[in-house]
Amino acid sequence: GNSVTQMEGPVTLSEEAFLTINCTYTATGYPSLFWYVQYPGEGLQLLLKATKADDKGSNKGFEATYRKETTSFHLEKGSVQVSDSAVYFCALSDNNAGNMLTFGGGTRLMVKP
Amino acid sequence: NAGVTQTPKFQVLKTGQSMTLQCAQDMNHEYMSWYRQDPGMGLRLIHYSVGAGITDQGEVPNGYNVSRSTTEDFPLRLLSAAPSQTSVYFCASSYSRRTGGRRANYGYTFGSGTRLTVV
């Protein structure tokens, strides 16, 4: 079956530090890959996505590249802000009937001033 | 355009009680699903629907029922609440498109969640 593994947190960084959150996946066929962000007390918001190999998703300074050869979709940001503190989820959809998402366990990011 | 609307936002139940979590979307998405979120476990799929009148089980369906009589609504029913069902529940809707012979998922939109406590 499908699975997503992402690094456990919490990840604690100082403002303006470089961020990497690792995500690897196992899936059949050609999955679409997503990063979602959950701010405290809120629901999930789509941060970025990639639908095929070598695609780069980007939004709000965050980037992730779909690497089929390493089955990875690592999230990066060059300079984090306190407002980026949240829980980040990597997810995949195998694009079969049902459109279901398989999520990683989530990584909590805390950015200190 | 409200997106995905979930009600209630908070609920406390006694063990053995039943209730229905409501979910409605106004984007004409064909797919809808329910997830539960537990600490350290990400989100796990409970039930999903590929269109009106069609539902199927996800990873953790036991203790829950769903129905999809319209495209817009996808309620989740707890038949006899148990403390193990204490969780945050999210409803989501999405659609798919075929591009260049490949089918891909788009437009995943989540509701704001229902925090359920079973005592």
Side-chain angles (χ1 to χ4, degrees):
Chain A
N2 300 329
S3 67
V4 176
T5 303
Q6 58 182 108
M7 59 190 294
E8 292 187 18
V11 174
T12 303
L13 297 174
S14 298
E15 206 165 23
E16 300 183 0
F18 185 85
L19 169 71
T20 299
I21 301 178
N22 290 336
C23 171
T24 58
Y25 67 89
T26 302
T28 56
Y30 300 95
S32 296
L33 302 175
F34 305 84
W35 277 101
Y36 283 86
V37 59
Q38 184 178 35
Y39 297 102
E42 298 185 10
L44 276 75
Q45 301 175 23
L46 178 64
L47 182 59
L48 53 84
K49 68 179 182 184
T51 59
K52 61 182 187 296
D54 299 323
D55 268 2
K56 177 184 284 188
S58 61
N59 186 27
K60 300 180 181 179
F62 291 89
E63 292 183 340
T65 301
Y66 188 145
R67 301 288 189 199
K68 193 169 178 64
E69 64 276 13
T70 55
T71 62
S72 64
F73 193 55
H74 304 321
L75 182 69
E76 297 181 336
K77 186 175 185 182
S79 177
V80 294
Q81 305 301 312
V82 172
S83 57
D84 293 326
S85 298
V87 181
Y88 293 81
F89 292 94
C90 185
L92 72 81
S93 171
D94 63 10
N95 293 316
N96 290 326
N99 258 27
M100 294 87 78
L101 288 173
T102 300
F103 285 88
T107 302
R108 182 176 298 278
L109 171 66
M110 296 188 292
V111 181
K112 298 184 175 180
Chain B
N1 189 340
V4 177
T5 302
Q6 284 185 241
T7 56
K9 291 190 181 301
F10 301 94
Q11 183 70 51
V12 178
L13 290 179
K14 294 182 179 179
T15 298
Q17 286 185 315
S18 63
M19 79 160 293
T20 300
L21 279 62
Q22 301 292 343
C23 176
Q25 54 98 1
D26 61 0
M27 298 169 286
N28 203 33
H29 286 175
E30 63 256 50
Y31 300 99
M32 296 187 75
S33 49
W34 277 101
Y35 296 83
R36 59 178 289 174
Q37 182 181 23
D38 301 296
M41 301 184 74
L43 279 78
R44 293 180 293 168
L45 181 67
I46 304 172
H47 284 285
Y48 66 97
S49 169
V50 301
I54 306 170
T55 64
D56 206 345
Q57 297 180 350
E59 181 184 354
V60 287
N62 292 340
Y64 307 95
N65 272 357
V66 292
S67 60
R68 183 106 180 263
S69 57
T70 66
T71 299
E72 294 78 19
D73 299 301
F74 191 46
L76 178 72
R77 297 182 186 85
L78 280 70
L79 307 173
S80 177
S84 61
Q85 294 178 302
T86 294
S87 186
V88 181
Y89 292 84
F90 290 99
C91 179
S93 73
S94 64
Y95 65 96
S96 67
R97 289 293 181 268
R98 198 169 277 280
T99 305
R102 277 192 63 231
R103 182 181 170 284
N105 300 334
Y106 292 94
Y108 251 95
T109 304
F110 283 83
S112 57
T114 297
R115 184 174 294 276
L116 175 68
T117 302
V118 182
V119 298

